[in-house]
């Protein structure tokens, strides 16, 4: 069970992308993330959802400050929570964060992952990446610094150092999710992505399966379904992203030998819209007002 909790948390910290790695593939970790509470408020920020014309509807992008929460289950057993946060920034350096706290019986696993990056046109440039793990078993960390001008990447994983070549377009395991979303929102084209993880540079490829209306306990979403390209048919990974939510991931399902072993579902989300109109849809009513730091969100009921 210790291996399961550790591997499940690893999958969560890089969920939606790095599930193609051996960390999940070799262990075949079965975890489930589900939303068991219906939201009080929800706005998809489209003209049809809020009753406004397209000029009045606020514009969301993957780089709009936001946060999203996911609940973690193994079968019917709840393991804990996972959260993604892209906070507001005052400089040219963005910060994307992931935290998770999962446990099973006497076993526990806590993760804190942070990616710092810059924006150059429609491309994200990695700057610094940290991943810290604690809980049952051995604690460890991963630290990576990217030096594009020097064509070098310096990384430390479990106290072992490595120098890698910075060649072409490359990402860390966390901010690559934002690049993926940007590509979908600007060109609707995705191909392959290289990222640095555990002292190695790996490449990941994806196919767009099609459009799908997805109903979860947190709401109903118009989504784009995407499949991870694999060499073997024994494992399949699909994820769904919502265009109206700046392609925020709303679900991921991982199958091994035809059996679902991983299911991650969006529980709640919030976008921050500074100096714009606050638009919320609560129990069918539209509320509008001026705000210095407006937000639109879904919140689980209590």
């Amino acid at each position: 069970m210790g291996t399961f909790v550790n591997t499940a948390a690893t999958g969560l910290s890089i969920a939606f992308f790095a599930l193609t790695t051996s960390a999940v593939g070799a262990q075949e970790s079965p975890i489930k993330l589900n939303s068991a509470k219906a939201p009080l408020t929800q706005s998809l920020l489209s003209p049809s959802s809020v009753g406004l014309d397209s000029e009045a509807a606020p514009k969301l992008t993957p780089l709009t400050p936001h946060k999203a929460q996911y609940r973690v289950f193994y079968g019917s057993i709840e393991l804990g929570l996972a959260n993604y946060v892209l906070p507001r920034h005052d400089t040219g350096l963005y910060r994307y964060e992931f935290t998770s706290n999962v446990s099973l019986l006497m076993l526990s696993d806590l993760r804190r992952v942070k990616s710092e990056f810059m924006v150059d046109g429609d491309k994200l440039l990695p700057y610094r990446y940290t991943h810290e793990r604690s809980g049952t078993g051995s604690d460890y960390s991963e630290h990576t610094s990217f030096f594009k001008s020097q064509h070098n990447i310096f990384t430390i994983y479990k106290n072992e150092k490595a120098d890698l070549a910075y060649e072409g377009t490359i990402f860390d395991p966390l901010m690559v999710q934002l690049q993926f979303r940007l590509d979908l929102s600007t060109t609707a084209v995705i191909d392959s992505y290289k990222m640095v993880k555990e002292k190695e540079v790996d490449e990941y490829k994806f196919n767009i399966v099609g459009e799908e209306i997805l109903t979860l306990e947190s709401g109903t979403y118009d989504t784009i379904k995407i499949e991870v390209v694999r060499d073997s048919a024994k494992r399949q990974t699909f994820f769904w992203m919502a265009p109206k939510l700046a392609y925020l991931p709303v679900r991921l399902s991982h199958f091994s030998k035809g059996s679902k072993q991983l299911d991650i579902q969006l529980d709640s989300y919030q976008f921050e819209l500074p100096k714009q109109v606050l638009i919320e849809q609560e129990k069918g009513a539209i509320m509008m007002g001026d705000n210095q730091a407006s937000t639109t969100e879904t919140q689980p009921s209590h």
Side-chain angles (χ1 to χ4, degrees), residues 132-166:
E132 297 178 346
R133 183 269 173 192
S134 61
T136 305
S138 301
D139 298 346
Y140 65 84
S141 63
E142 180 176 8
H143 302 269
T144 305
S145 296
F146 298 82
F147 304 97
K148 185 178 181 181
S149 61
Q150 301 175 28
H151 309 287
N152 178 257
I153 300 169
F154 180 72
T155 183
I156 304 175
Y157 175 64
K158 293 185 176 180
N159 296 320
E160 295 185 2
K161 302 178 182 179
D163 283 292
L164 306 172
Y166 194 132

Side-chain angles (χ1 to χ4, degrees), residues 77-103:
I77 303 173
E78 185 170 0
L79 298 182
L81 296 172
N83 293 274
Y84 289 91
V85 179
L86 181 69
R88 176 168 300 283
H89 72 100
D90 297 321
T91 66
L93 191 64
Y94 287 77
R95 186 176 78 252
Y96 195 34
E97 298 177 340
F98 168 89
T99 57
S100 68
N101 186 345
V102 298
S103 62

Side-chain angles (χ1 to χ4, degrees), residues 53-64:
D53 57 48
S54 59
E55 293 183 357
K59 174 66 175 177
L60 292 183
T61 78
L63 296 181
T64 300

Side-chain angles (χ1 to χ4, degrees), residues 16-43:
F16 303 105
F17 288 94
L19 285 169
T20 56
T21 66
S22 59
V24 171
Q27 301 291 341
E28 303 298 358
S29 306
I31 63 177
K32 182 178 182 181
L33 186 66
N34 199 356
S35 171
K37 299 178 181 178
L40 289 177
T41 64
Q42 181 178 20
S43 171

